[in-house]
Amino acid sequence: MKYYIGVDGGGTKTVFALFDENKKMLEFVSGPGSNHENLDTSFDGASDIIMDGLNKLCERTGVALEDVSFTLMGLAGIDHRYQYDIMCKMLKEKGLNNFEVFNDGFIVVKAGATGKSAIGYNCGTGVCCNGIDAEGKMLQLAGLGDFSGDISGGGNIVVKAFELVYNELFLGLEKTMITDMVKKEYGFKTREEILGLIEKIEGENGGEHIMNMISFFFDAVTEGDRPATEFCERMAERGAQLIAALANQMNFGSDEIEVVLSGSINVKLNNKVYLDMLLSKAEKLSGKKLKFIRLEAMPVVGCINWIMQDYAN
């Protein structure tokens, strides 16, 4: 029996999964986020997190790390060749052999596409758009935050949703349904109380409040709230530009291009209006037929799919 490991390393958590040669997931464990850009210890700390997770996975399953035939990792923050080189050097120095590293956006493609090639559009905390075409060419767009004009990540939406509430209550600008949603959820009576929501969002347990604000935003869009819908249009336009750029710059070898959608913004929310906007705009900009696939499998499954396609032999 041959064993393989897949690693999905994000900003907030890292998933380590052991697979057998039949692509069956035997076990998985989760650890801290392994994006070196989020760590004071940078690549050294990120590689420590990865090695610790691999060892914990092996301890739990009783499979020695040296008996694993291949390990494939999709890691957030590996956006350029120099980052790849440093991470690989660190992992080798810490004892890992027979592995490959990619940006985590690429394993999304392999997790959701029906074939080898597709576009992956991931919107979670941040944004990235990755393509693997019919010739095996790989290209990544976005992922640089404000520097690459990313506006569809969770952080961007939370800030915008709060801004719309602030504009209404403190500046007397256009009303938004988000205001009443916030008041109802938290029992706020005055506008000054609403300012306390910032502390909750930025606090140690801010995840729940972040998801509340994102949900309020998309619920408002669904209900036709004009300020929220205006920003949603901008999000869809930027996402469409990214998808269309990959569709036009790469060779997917078919009349219809699959676009795998992943990340909490794309797959976990009441956002049909947004996704309809995104598809319409992306098809118009690219001049191509697109098929959206909302990723249902764990992204780490893309690692074993990729291993079996290109590395198992």
Side-chain angles (χ1 to χ4, degrees):
M1 177 68 71
K2 290 186 177 181
Y3 299 101
Y4 305 95
I5 290 178
V7 179
D8 174 22
T12 56
K13 72 174 181 177
T14 303
V15 175
F16 305 83
L18 180 72
F19 299 89
D20 66 16
E21 58 193 15
N22 298 312
K23 302 201 323 186
K24 180 182 178 181
M25 186 186 295
L26 303 176
E27 185 62 272
F28 76 92
V29 299
S30 296
S34 54
N35 185 339
H36 68 93
E37 296 173 337
N38 296 346
L39 301 171
D40 293 338
T41 49
S42 191
F43 290 98
D44 189 39
S47 56
D48 280 343
I49 289 171
I50 291 167
M51 293 304 301
D52 183 59
L54 292 174
N55 288 323
K56 285 181 178 177
L57 178 67
C58 289
E59 288 172 10
R60 181 174 294 187
T61 58
V63 175
L65 189 55
E66 56 266 28
D67 291 333
V68 174
S69 297
F70 198 82
T71 298
L72 190 145
M73 291 173 265
L75 304 180
I78 304 300
D79 304 307
H80 304 285
R81 182 72 197 195
Y82 79 91
Q83 295 168 323
Y84 169 88
D85 289 342
I86 295 172
M87 181 60 76
C88 289
K89 180 175 181 292
M90 291 258 181
L91 291 171
K92 288 177 181 177
E93 289 176 351
K94 293 175 182 180
L96 188 62
N97 297 301
N98 300 321
F99 69 92
E100 185 56 280
V101 175
F102 298 98
N103 176 269
D104 62 330
F106 288 110
I107 65 172
V108 165
V109 175
K110 295 296 187 179
T114 60
K116 284 190 172 185
S117 63
I119 293 169
Y121 185 47
N122 181 65
C123 296
T125 304
V127 176
C128 63
C129 193
N130 304 62
I132 303 174
D133 73 8
E135 299 169 356
K137 178 183 176 183
M138 300 169 63
L139 182 61
Q140 176 183 338
L141 300 176
L144 304 177
D146 292 340
F147 290 99
S148 51
D150 304 341
I151 62 171
S152 302
N156 304 97
I157 297 172
V158 170
V159 170
K160 188 63 183 182
F162 190 91
E163 178 192 340
L164 294 179
V165 174
Y166 185 89
N167 287 348
E168 175 188 342
L169 295 180
F170 288 84
L171 304 185
L173 300 181
E174 190 169 5
K175 292 183 178 297
T176 173
M177 296 176 184
I178 301 173
T179 300
D180 287 339
M181 294 176 187
V182 169
K183 288 181 177 179
K184 181 178 178 181
E185 176 68 24
Y186 292 98
F188 294 145
K189 303 298 183 183
T190 67
R191 65 183 192 177
E192 284 72 22
E193 285 181 292
I194 287 179
L195 295 180
L197 184 55
I198 298 174
E199 184 178 0
K200 294 180 182 294
I201 290 169
E202 294 182 339
E204 186 175 345
N205 300 312
E208 175 186 350
H209 309 293
I210 289 170
M211 289 308 299
N212 281 344
M213 292 300 288
I214 295 172
S215 295
F216 296 157
F217 172 80
F218 282 113
D219 287 346
V221 171
T222 299
E223 294 298 321
D225 183 75
R226 204 202 68 81
T229 301
E230 183 180 75
F231 184 68
C232 190
E233 288 270 5
R234 288 176 54 201
M235 288 170 50
E237 183 70 22
R238 189 57 174 174
Q241 291 168 351
L242 295 170
I243 294 168
L246 292 182
N248 291 326
Q249 294 175 30
M250 306 178 78
N251 175 24
F252 290 93
S254 64
D255 295 331
E256 183 178 70
I257 302 172
E258 293 182 348
V259 180
V260 181
L261 302 176
S262 67
S264 57
I265 305 305
N266 285 339
V267 302
K268 294 182 179 180
L269 296 159
N270 175 27
N271 61 356
K272 184 179 185 301
V273 173
Y274 164 64
L275 293 183
D276 287 346
M277 287 181 190
L278 180 63
L279 178 59
S280 175
K281 291 175 182 292
E283 288 190 331
K284 182 177 180 180
L285 284 175
S286 67
K288 295 179 170 62
K289 178 67 175 175
L290 304 174
K291 179 182 179 181
F292 276 11
I293 300 172
R294 296 180 78 170
L295 184 62
E296 296 182 356
M298 295 173 64
V300 75
V301 170
C303 296
I304 189 60
N305 290 343
W306 206 340
I307 289 171
M308 289 305 180
Q309 287 173 0
D310 296 334
Y311 296 97
N313 296 322

